[in-house]
C-alpha cells in the first residue's frame, strides 16, 4: 500500500480499497480521543492552514477540531473577501499557496472552482486536502460517509446504495468513485437536469460500477441498505457565495425522504446526508432508527483526525 505521509488528498478516484480500510483503522485508534473530549500531543508542533473560498460549517470546523484534538494549531481564512485573493488583486492560487506553505504543515482548501485544490497541490510543498471544489469532489466527506456506513453496517461489500438528489454534486462524484472499490450496487434518483452527465457515466462505466437510474424514490426504497442524500434545491457551487433570493421552491416527492416513505424501507437501512439540508429530508426522519447523519458529525472529526495524522506522517 502507498504511504499516506506527505500525500495530497484531492480525489477518491484512484483511492484503493485497502486504503479505505487503513484509514478506518487509524480512525478507530484515534476515536477515543474525540469521544472522551481529550487533547493529545500526536500533532504537537504541526499547524493546519484552512483556505476556504466558499462557506462551510462542517468541513472547516471538523478539520480544525481534529487538529486541535491532536494537539496541533490552526490558522487560515474562512472568508476569501478578507484576503488578497478576494479583493482588487484577485491573487492567484499559485501566489497564495506559495505564502500559505510557509505558515503551516498542511493546507485544507475549499474552492468554487473545480480543480483548484489540485492546482494548489502543484505549487505547495506541503500536503493539500480538498475540502470540496466546485461541482468536482468532496473526498473527506465521502471518507466520513464510508467510515460511518462501515461502522454502522459492519461491511461495505454486498450493500445497495440509493443515491437521491443533485448528481452534479461533488459528494455524488466522490461517492461514485468510492462505491466502485467495493461490491456495491447503486441506484441514482435525480431530476433530469441534475442527472449524471454522459461524461461521468463513461468514468463510472470504466470503473465497472453497477448502477441504474430511476425516476422516483418509491421505486428503489425497498432495495436500499444505504440512502445517501443531497438537496435538489441547491445553490450554485461554482460561485464563491450564493445568497438566497426570494422563494427557492420545494423538493418534489420523487427526491424526498419522509417517515411514511421509510415504512417501505428495510428495517435496518440507514440514511446519510452530508448536510446542510432543505426540505428533501424532513425533520420527522431524525427521530427514526434510520437516521445516521448526526453520528456523522462525530465521525467527521474522527476522519479528519485520521487523515491529518496520516498525511503528516504521525501514523503510518
Ligand atoms: N457537508 C459539508 O460539506 O458541509 P459544509 O458545507 O458545512 O462544510
Amino acid at each position: 500500500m502507498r504511504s499516506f505521509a506527505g500525500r495530497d488528498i484531492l480525489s477518491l478516484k484512484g483511492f484503493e480499497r485497502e486504503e479505505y480500510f487503513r484509514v478506518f483503522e487509524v480512525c478507530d485508534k484515534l476515536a477515543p480521543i474525540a469521544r472522551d473530549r481529550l487533547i493529545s500531543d500526536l500533532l504537537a508542533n504541526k499547524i493546519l492552514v484552512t483556505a476556504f473560498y466558499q462557506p462551510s460549517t462542517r468541513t472547516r470546523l471538523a478539520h480544525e477540531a481534529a487538529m486541535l484534538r491532536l494537539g496541533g494549531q490552526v490558522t487560515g481564512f474562512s472568508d476569501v473577501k478578507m484576503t488578497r485573493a478576494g479583493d482588487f488583486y484577485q491573487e492567484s492560487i499559485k501566489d497564495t499557496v506559495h505564502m500559505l506553505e510557509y505558515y503551516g504543515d498542511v493546507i485544507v482548501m475549499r474552492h468554487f472552482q473545480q480543480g483548484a485544490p489540485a492546482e494548489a497541490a502543484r505549487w505547495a510543498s506541503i500536503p493539500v486536502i480538498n475540502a470540496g471544489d466546485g461541482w468536482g469532489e468532496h473526498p473527506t466527506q465521502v471518507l466520513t460517509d464510508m467510515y460511518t456506513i462501515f461502522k454502522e453496517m459492519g461491511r461495505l461489500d454486498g450493500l445497495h446504495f440509493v443515491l437521491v438528489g443533485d448528481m452534479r454534486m461533488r459528494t455524488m462524484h466522490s461517492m461514485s468513485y468510492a462505491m466502485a472499490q467495493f461490491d456495491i450496487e447503486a441506484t441514482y434518483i435525480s431530476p433530469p437536469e441534475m442527472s449524471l452527465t454522459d461524461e461521468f457515466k463513461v468514468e463510472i462505466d470504466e470503473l465497472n460500477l453497477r448502477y441504474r437510474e430511476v425516476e422516483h424514490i418509491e421505486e428503489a426504497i425497498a432495495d436500499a441498505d444505504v440512502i445517501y442524500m443531497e438537496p435538489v434545491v441547491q445553490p450554485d457551487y461554482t460561485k464563491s457565495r450564493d445568497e438566497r433570493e426570494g422563494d427557492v421552491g420545494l423538493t418534489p416527492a420523487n427526491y424526498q425522504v419522509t417517515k411514511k416513505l421509510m415504512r417501505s424501507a428495510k428495517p435496518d437501512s440507514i440514511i446519510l446526508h452530508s448536510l446542510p439540508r432543505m426540505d428533501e429530508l424532513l425533520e420527522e426522519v431524525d427521530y427514526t432508527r434510520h437516521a445516521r447523519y448526526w453520528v456523522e458529525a462525530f465521525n467527521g472529526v474522527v476522519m479528519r483526525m485520521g487523515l491529518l495524522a496520516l498525511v503528516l506522517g504521525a501514523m503510518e
Side-chain angles (χ1 to χ4, degrees):
M1 191 190 309
R2 294 174 295 173
S3 171
F4 280 96
R7 241 167 91 174
D8 303 308
I9 307 291
L10 300 173
S11 166
L12 291 187
K13 193 169 184 183
F15 206 90
E16 293 166 13
R17 181 184 168 89
E18 291 71 26
E19 293 177 326
Y20 287 88
F21 292 122
R22 178 61 190 141
V23 172
F24 297 170
E25 271 172 13
V26 170
C27 289
D28 283 347
K29 283 202 177 101
L30 298 177
I33 299 168
R35 189 169 298 117
D36 295 337
R37 297 180 182 274
L38 302 174
I39 306 286
S40 82
D41 60 1
L42 190 69
L43 295 182
N45 306 319
K46 297 290 183 194
I47 298 174
L48 166 70
V49 182
T50 50
F52 275 63
Y53 293 73
Q54 248 186 354
S56 166
T57 299
R58 282 146 282 271
T59 312
R60 182 173 66 83
L61 295 174
H63 276 95
E64 293 190 357
M67 194 61 172
L68 295 170
R69 287 263 176 243
L70 295 178
Q73 298 187 61
V74 176
T75 187
F77 59 85
S78 56
D79 183 354
V80 69
K81 283 204 178 327
M82 300 309 290
T83 75
R84 295 307 200 179
D87 79 347
F88 177 86
Y89 290 97
Q90 299 283 305
E91 192 166 24
S92 68
I93 287 177
K94 178 184 175 186
D95 287 6
T96 303
V97 162
H98 272 326
M99 294 291 111
L100 300 186
E101 66 179 342
Y102 297 113
Y103 304 158
D105 304 290
V106 53
I107 297 169
V108 177
M109 178 180 281
R110 169 168 289 187
H111 206 288
F112 50 92
Q113 280 171 3
Q114 189 168 340
E119 166 74 1
R122 278 185 66 206
W123 305 111
S125 59
I126 58 175
V128 175
I129 297 177
N130 179 2
D133 59 328
W135 293 114
E137 278 206 63
H138 198 348
T140 70
Q141 173 64 49
V142 169
L143 285 166
T144 304
D145 298 327
M146 295 302 264
Y147 180 57
T148 303
I149 296 161
F150 187 64
K151 300 297 288 176
E152 296 292 317
M153 308 291 276
R155 66 194 169 114
L156 292 169
D157 289 320
L159 297 179
H160 189 128
F161 285 26
V162 169
L163 301 100
V164 196
D166 186 342
M167 296 309 153
R168 299 170 305 171
M169 262 308 272
R170 49 201 181 196
T171 45
M172 294 298 185
H173 297 147
S174 293
M175 180 53 86
S176 300
Y177 296 138
M179 289 187 298
Q181 287 293 319
F182 300 92
D183 172 22
I184 290 172
E185 214 175 322
T187 300
Y188 294 98
I189 306 154
S190 66
E193 69 279 14
M194 298 180 186
S195 62
L196 297 170
T197 63
D198 290 342
E199 196 183 22
F200 191 69
K201 281 185 189 173
V202 170
E203 279 196 58
I204 56 178
D205 285 341
E206 280 173 0
L207 294 170
N208 288 351
L209 179 67
R210 286 179 299 140
Y211 70 93
R212 62 177 175 149
E213 293 172 282
V214 302
E215 284 182 12
H216 201 300
I217 192 165
E218 285 175 356
E219 295 173 58
I221 192 69
D223 298 328
D225 297 301
V226 175
I227 300 141
Y228 188 71
M229 301 192 68
E230 284 290 350
V232 295
V233 180
Q234 289 262 64
D236 181 350
Y237 275 79
T238 64
K239 287 184 180 170
S240 178
R241 191 176 178 84
D242 201 359
E243 301 292 345
R244 188 188 290 201
E245 281 167 22
D247 183 13
V248 292
L250 295 173
T251 301
N254 305 44
Y255 321 112
Q256 195 175 47
V257 169
T258 62
K259 215 159 78 170
K260 182 164 174 257
L261 178 87
M262 291 310 292
R263 285 186 202 128
S264 310
K266 291 183 188 176
D268 62 349
S269 59
I270 63 171
I271 304 167
L272 299 184
H273 192 308
S274 70
L275 301 173
R277 64 178 153 186
M278 298 292 280
D279 65 329
E280 72 283 356
L281 177 59
L282 297 186
E283 200 185 315
E284 63 185 23
V285 182
D286 297 4
Y287 309 105
T288 70
R289 66 177 173 280
H290 305 283
R292 292 295 188 286
Y293 28 96
W294 305 124
V295 176
E296 279 200 282
F298 172 74
N299 286 343
V301 176
V302 174
M303 175 51 63
R304 275 67 179 224
M305 288 167 71
L307 289 174
L308 290 171
L310 283 163
V311 302
L312 290 170
M315 308 274 282
E316 184 52 81

